Amino acid sequence: MNIMIWVGLLALLLVSYLDQRKAMTVRMWLMIVAIYCLCNFYVNISKVLIPVGFLIGLSYMNKKKHGFLLRALIFGLVTVAANFYLPTLSFHELSVHAKADQYAAQFNKVRSITTITADSEIHELLRKEAERLKNVKLASQIDIKDPHVLFQIWVLTHHNQSIQDLDWLWYDAPRELHYYWQSSRSDEKTSVETMIFADVGYMGLFHRDDENSEFKLQAIYEFDRLKNGNPSIP
């Protein structure tokens, strides 16, 4: 559940009743909150939302003739639908959106910005491909969890470029495929990976919760070139 949506709509619901507060009893306020919470119970059938809580609440309202609960039911239905169908965003993922302009300012023209959610399948796909490359050459000392490895895998896969093994990816690929790469960390939790070809560049923003957790890709910027000019490309 996206707690921000839940709390936000609950607050709006309570505010919407303020014009009736003189006629409202404590019991009525509690019933409003209870009905709103009840609406969050649902059944997922083949990715189709069945709002069980809403239907129970609607039946209760009609049986008891508590018309004042209709607004709580509507807010509850909107909340459960939003939480069911919209992707869940963490506070950090929201901050990524907020900082998009800051990161984009270094590029001449941003062609696209792709935000990767925490539950995206891309994380598992990158991990599996990194493990496959490790198995190709077990003697390799390259860390398959390194953000630079993961981002190179994404970019080259995006370009339909086959990857030989981890050592080739780290040492030879930039020279053979003619691209510049750079890895930088502003702090222990954030890693920025940049790859620039002659006609297009990519920047990957990685984040981890703490020093002991793994980096995960959170945003991909595709751009034409840097504002201050591209670096020398091998």
Side-chain angles (χ1 to χ4, degrees):
M1 176 187 295
N2 192 326
I3 190 65
M4 290 176 287
I5 293 178
W6 192 90
V7 173
L9 287 177
L10 174 59
L12 288 176
L13 170 63
L14 296 177
V15 169
S16 72
Y17 279 98
L18 288 180
D19 60 336
Q20 305 174 40
R21 62 185 181 277
K22 292 183 179 179
M24 302 279 286
T25 64
V26 173
R27 183 172 181 272
M28 292 171 70
W29 284 109
L30 292 176
M31 289 177 64
I32 289 170
V33 175
I35 287 293
Y36 178 79
C37 293
L38 177 64
C39 287
N40 285 278
F41 290 95
Y42 65 90
V43 174
N44 181 354
I45 299 179
S46 299
K47 296 184 179 181
V48 175
L49 171 68
I50 307 298
V52 176
F54 170 81
L55 296 175
I56 294 174
L58 182 62
S59 175
Y60 174 81
M61 182 191 73
N62 291 332
K63 181 179 180 180
K64 297 294 184 178
K65 301 187 184 304
H66 290 331
F68 69 94
L69 293 176
L70 178 60
R71 195 178 305 170
L73 283 168
I74 294 173
F75 270 76
L77 181 61
V78 170
T79 300
V80 73
N83 280 317
F84 185 81
Y85 290 109
L86 295 179
T88 300
L89 295 177
S90 67
F91 285 104
H92 181 77
E93 288 167 338
L94 288 175
S95 72
V96 171
H97 286 280
K99 293 180 179 179
D101 290 341
Q102 175 185 333
Y103 285 110
Q106 61 186 301
F107 309 127
N108 178 62
K109 180 181 179 181
V110 177
R111 295 177 178 175
S112 67
I113 301 176
T114 304
T115 302
I116 313 298
T117 58
D119 57 354
S120 172
E121 64 177 5
I122 192 172
H123 305 297
E124 182 66 12
L125 293 174
L126 291 176
R127 183 188 66 80
K128 287 183 177 180
E129 179 61 11
E131 289 180 347
R132 185 191 71 80
L133 293 173
K134 176 67 175 179
N135 290 331
V136 171
K137 191 174 182 180
L138 294 175
S140 175
Q141 299 299 308
I142 305 300
D143 183 4
I144 63 174
K145 297 178 182 179
D146 190 299
H148 178 58
V149 170
L150 298 175
F151 193 58
Q152 281 196 103
I153 290 174
W154 182 89
V155 172
L156 296 185
T157 301
H158 182 66
H159 279 241
N160 295 316
Q161 173 65 50
S162 60
I163 304 173
Q164 298 177 21
D165 55 55
L166 290 176
D167 285 351
W168 177 86
L169 180 67
W170 191 276
Y171 299 111
D172 301 323
R175 183 184 69 258
E176 294 183 13
L177 302 180
H178 306 292
Y179 64 84
Y180 165 88
W181 71 268
Q182 176 179 291
S183 181
S184 61
R185 295 185 184 179
S186 57
D187 54 61
E188 289 299 320
K189 296 181 180 180
T190 305
S191 182
V192 179
E193 307 297 326
T194 305
M195 291 177 62
I196 302 176
F197 295 83
D199 58 345
V200 64
Y202 302 91
M203 187 192 81
L205 181 62
F206 286 76
H207 179 79
R208 61 182 176 182
D209 295 330
D210 54 62
E211 296 180 13
N212 298 317
S213 58
E214 297 179 10
F215 280 103
K216 284 193 173 183
L217 182 60
Q218 290 203 321
I220 301 170
Y221 293 71
E222 181 178 335
F223 57 93
D224 59 345
R225 61 181 176 82
L226 299 175
K227 277 187 176 180
N228 58 359
N230 283 343
S232 177
I233 298 175

